[in-house]
Amino acid sequence: MQDDLFGATPPHLQPPEKANAKAPARRAGIQPVVWDEALHALARRLPPQLRLGTSSWSYPGWQGLVWEGAHSEPTLAKKGLPVYAQHPLLRTVSIDRSFYRPLSASDYLRYAEQVPADFRFVVKAPSLVTDALVRSEDGQGRAPNPAFLDPLLATQEFVAPALAGLGARTGALVFQLSPLPWQQLERLPVVLERLRAMLQTQPPLTAPDAVLAVEVRDPTWLAPAHLPHFADVLRSTGATYCLGLHARMPPLQAQLPLLRLLWPGPLVCRWNLHPANGPHGYEDAQKRYAPYDRIHDPEPQLLAELARVIAGTTGRGQRAYVTISNHAEGCAPLTVRRLAEQIVARLD
């Protein structure tokens, strides 16, 4: 009775144990997801000269797809790249911030130091040299841009610092030419010669896998009247065409004639915007697709067509850089996996 009255507290009156008393300590920082063996097996079956990736990497909605835990966009922008680069399928990424402001060689070096030696970057040239217009904050053209396709600025503000900072991790350096005003579209042969002069003056691409590419946002560039001239400009300067899958541009099949004129050569492709959002639909796509954690608008036919082009290019020993935006189908990492499955099926 003494023991019962003054001994240990009865079990039903004992305070519950803390829920986290035996839980493992959470790892600090951003950690990669534990990817399943099927994903690793899929990556091993892809051609080594193919590099798939996304447009940037700072998306909290990729939790469970690329990284563990919840992280803010600023945190991922600063610290997420090393984790992104561990994903079995993601062997390239598009640096898009360089379009809005030129980056320095030290900026590029910081990126290069965060990824493995086999990783390659796709980089957009600054709008300073790729937009024919000086634009206001809302995107409206205000005046002609005197620096449009300026050879010296293209070297100093883009190609030279990118090569110096990225080194052997340089992949595709993309001049994405913004929509032209109608006056310049009507004089496209003149613009093409300015493009030739700019590309000709760029320094040698010392990185082993580097390539200069030109992406356009006006279908007029691909019209039969201009196609031979455009192809000659690219071929004579050692550059290639960046296949632009964008709501402003014709479908993939209509862009292939230019790639055929440039064959053999590397493939550069940026899948940017689903047609359902319209030619100016980035804000609409953001509203519809955020937080970019699932597929919203699947494009099975485009996936199959793109897989065929990639398999045909890499199957003949050529390099391929393909980056995909969240605005393509709703979630870039999932689109990359779907595309990889299509490529492997076609190769088999």
Side-chain angles (χ1 to χ4, degrees):
M1 291 180 64
Q2 287 278 86
D3 292 338
D4 291 341
L5 185 60
F6 301 108
T9 306
H12 67 283
L13 296 179
Q14 292 179 1
E17 293 184 355
K18 293 182 179 180
N20 62 349
K22 296 183 180 180
R26 183 178 177 182
R27 294 181 291 175
I30 305 171
Q31 299 296 329
V33 170
V34 178
W35 294 289
D36 56 63
E37 176 54 31
L39 188 68
H40 286 282
L42 178 63
R44 288 192 294 268
R45 296 168 68 189
L46 290 172
Q49 61 270 37
L50 167 63
R51 287 181 172 84
L52 301 174
T54 69
S55 294
S56 190
W57 60 85
S58 56
Y59 301 104
W62 292 359
Q63 177 182 348
L65 296 172
V66 179
W67 30 69
E68 293 180 340
H71 305 282
S72 69
E73 185 173 338
T75 298
L76 292 171
K78 292 180 180 179
K79 302 179 180 180
L81 179 57
V83 175
Y84 169 99
Q86 295 179 51
H87 191 289
L89 297 179
L90 303 178
R91 301 176 60 223
T92 188
V93 73
S94 179
I95 298 178
D96 293 344
R97 62 183 285 245
S98 53
F99 179 77
Y100 304 99
R101 180 181 63 83
L103 303 183
S104 66
S106 59
D107 291 327
Y108 288 118
L109 178 60
R110 280 193 291 271
Y111 286 134
E113 291 175 337
Q114 298 179 59
V115 299
D118 190 49
F119 195 91
R120 300 289 182 267
F121 288 91
V122 173
V123 191
K124 287 179 63 175
S127 62
L128 171 69
V129 295
T130 61
D131 197 335
L133 297 173
V134 177
R135 298 183 185 271
S136 58
E137 290 186 1
D138 62 359
Q140 297 299 314
R142 294 186 303 172
N145 176 15
F148 179 52
L149 298 180
D150 183 282
L152 183 59
L153 283 177
T155 301
Q156 293 178 341
E157 303 294 339
F158 179 47
V159 177
L163 290 171
L166 297 178
R169 292 171 176 83
T170 307
L173 303 180
V174 181
F175 292 91
Q176 181 230 293
L177 305 184
S178 300
L180 295 175
W182 65 268
Q183 299 94 331
Q184 296 207 27
L185 278 177
E186 289 188 339
R187 301 173 64 244
L188 194 54
V190 176
V191 178
L192 280 163
E193 288 307 312
R194 290 183 63 184
L195 176 63
R196 189 198 303 271
M198 184 201 71
L199 293 172
Q200 282 177 333
T201 60
Q202 297 314 301
L205 300 181
T206 52
D209 298 321
V211 60
L212 294 182
V214 177
E215 180 182 355
V216 298
R217 291 290 171 83
D218 293 295
T220 306
W221 290 82
L222 304 179
H226 301 297
L227 197 60
H229 192 176
F230 191 12
D232 180 66
V233 167
L234 296 175
R235 190 168 46 245
S236 68
T237 57
T240 192
Y241 174 65
C242 177
L243 189 63
L245 305 181
H246 188 282
R248 286 188 64 96
M249 292 299 292
L252 183 151
Q253 292 294 334
Q255 299 185 50
L256 291 183
L258 179 52
L259 291 182
R260 294 190 184 103
L261 290 174
L262 298 173
W263 182 256
L267 172 68
V268 180
C269 174
R270 297 196 329 120
W271 187 353
N272 297 291
L273 181 63
H274 194 287
N277 300 291
H280 308 284
Y282 280 107
E283 290 185 3
D284 291 341
Q286 184 174 356
K287 293 175 183 176
R288 294 179 61 208
Y289 298 159
Y292 311 120
D293 57 351
R294 63 187 178 91
I295 299 294
H296 289 258
D297 290 321
E299 287 265 55
Q301 181 176 346
L302 180 53
L303 277 173
E305 293 174 350
L306 182 55
R308 181 175 66 85
V309 173
I310 293 169
T313 302
T314 59
R316 289 163 177 80
Q318 297 292 329
R319 288 162 288 147
Y321 297 100
V322 181
T323 62
I324 298 172
S325 167
N326 282 321
H327 299 146
E329 291 188 315
C331 177
L334 291 180
T335 300
V336 167
R337 182 164 187 165
R338 282 155 45 80
L339 178 59
E341 291 168 347
Q342 292 272 346
I343 296 167
V344 166
R346 183 164 290 276
L347 290 172
D348 289 345

